[in-house]
Amino acid sequence: MLLYVLAFIFGAAVGSFLNVCIFRIPAKESIVKPLSRCPHCQHPIRFYDNIPIFSFLILRAKCRDCGGAISWRYPLVELITAILTLLLFIKFGLTLEFAVFFLFTAVLITITFIDIDHQIIPDVLSLPGIPIFFLAAVFIVKVPWLEALIGLLIGGGILSLIAFIYEFMTKREGMGGGDVKLLAMIGGFFGWKALIFILLVSSFTGAIIGILAMVVKKQDMKYAVPFGPFLSIAAVAYIFLGDAFMRLWLLGP
């Protein structure tokens, strides 16, 4: 039980760092320095005001110095990271596999919120992630190298083809290159078989959320919804549900 609590706390602390990455990477700023500051008054945040999740509640979502509002996104990212870290620890224990899946998940969380905010997936995350997670899959997770390589190639190739067809038919861009690189990274990590689950789940959730967003915002079919978050959600879901899905798939008619 103590290890579970420590895993949750560790995840929340990493989530605090991911908030820094989400804010600074699109702005091309250092993620190391300066230390965290209030976005309103630029006053450095005291260490006791930077406790993940709890400081937000204690300060009642306001800066201690200027009273500026603190976005609910900060504790949300911390809580999501903490919960997923705990679930990964329960699944893998204190192993190299846990470390690899934890890093993979942290990258996906960062990509998700950057894509939501800016409709971009930074190359600084996806491009290094392709070889890093491919090698981790082969040598640590023990995914067969050919399966991982095919997953990498098909992952990038499928979205490239879809993007080409969509642009050819509508004469406008419908999917960015960031999504292509992201799915290549995901396919290289899980292997090509996982892409069945990931594309089904991401497409279904993306369609549902996209339709709801258009209804709420009263937009037409041209309203752009970033696809990266749905690929990331599906990839994380595959970590926990992929084995069961593949068993059902293989046992199907």
Side-chain angles (χ1 to χ4, degrees):
M1 181 60 71
L2 176 60
L3 289 178
Y4 291 165
V5 173
L6 292 175
F8 185 91
I9 293 172
F10 173 72
V14 172
S16 181
F17 173 69
L18 296 187
N19 276 318
V20 175
C21 296
I22 291 164
F23 182 80
R24 296 186 184 182
I25 287 177
K28 302 186 185 306
E29 298 177 357
S30 170
I31 61 175
V32 178
K33 59 182 181 181
L35 298 177
S36 297
R37 298 173 179 270
C38 170
H40 304 288
C41 66
Q42 299 302 308
H43 192 284
I45 298 176
R46 301 165 181 83
F47 75 91
Y48 50 82
D49 286 338
N50 207 22
I51 302 171
I53 303 173
F54 290 103
S55 289
F56 179 84
L57 300 175
I58 293 170
L59 294 171
R60 298 182 180 180
K62 294 181 180 179
C63 171
R64 184 184 297 275
D65 296 288
C66 70
I70 302 173
S71 173
W72 56 268
R73 285 271 298 276
Y74 292 106
L76 176 64
V77 170
E78 292 162 355
L79 182 61
I80 290 173
T81 310
I83 291 173
L84 289 177
T85 302
L86 175 58
L87 292 176
L88 289 171
F89 183 76
I90 292 172
K91 181 175 178 65
F92 296 107
L94 195 59
T95 61
L96 275 177
E97 278 191 303
F98 164 76
V100 168
F101 279 95
F102 169 77
L103 179 60
F104 180 74
T105 302
V107 170
L108 292 180
I109 292 171
T110 306
I111 284 173
T112 292
F113 284 94
I114 289 177
D115 203 13
I116 289 172
D117 288 341
H118 304 280
Q119 286 73 56
I120 60 170
I121 297 175
D123 286 348
V124 70
L125 294 173
S126 59
L127 287 182
I130 292 173
I132 288 172
F133 290 117
F134 171 79
L135 292 173
V138 173
F139 293 105
I140 298 177
V141 185
K142 303 303 181 183
V143 177
W145 71 269
L146 186 57
E147 187 173 320
L149 180 60
I150 294 174
L152 190 159
L153 296 175
I154 292 179
I158 284 178
L159 288 193
S160 295
L161 179 61
I162 292 173
F164 174 79
I165 294 173
Y166 182 88
E167 189 170 349
F168 178 79
M169 295 179 65
T170 64
K171 306 304 180 185
R172 60 190 176 89
E173 184 179 355
M175 188 170 296
D179 297 321
V180 174
K181 297 164 195 171
L182 174 58
L183 191 58
M185 183 185 85
I186 292 171
F189 184 61
F190 289 122
W192 69 269
K193 295 176 183 177
L195 295 177
I196 301 167
F197 175 93
I198 289 165
L199 287 172
L200 283 173
V201 172
S202 60
S203 299
F204 178 76
T205 55
I208 296 298
I209 298 300
I211 292 170
L212 290 175
M214 286 187 289
V215 170
V216 171
K217 295 181 178 291
K218 298 180 179 179
Q219 300 285 336
D220 59 20
M221 291 297 290
K222 295 181 180 179
Y223 180 69
V225 176
F227 193 50
F230 302 109
L231 288 173
S232 298
I233 290 169
V236 172
Y238 185 81
I239 296 173
F240 302 102
L241 304 175
D243 289 343
F245 172 81
M246 294 309 298
R247 285 196 297 269
L248 289 173
W249 181 271
L250 293 174
L251 291 174

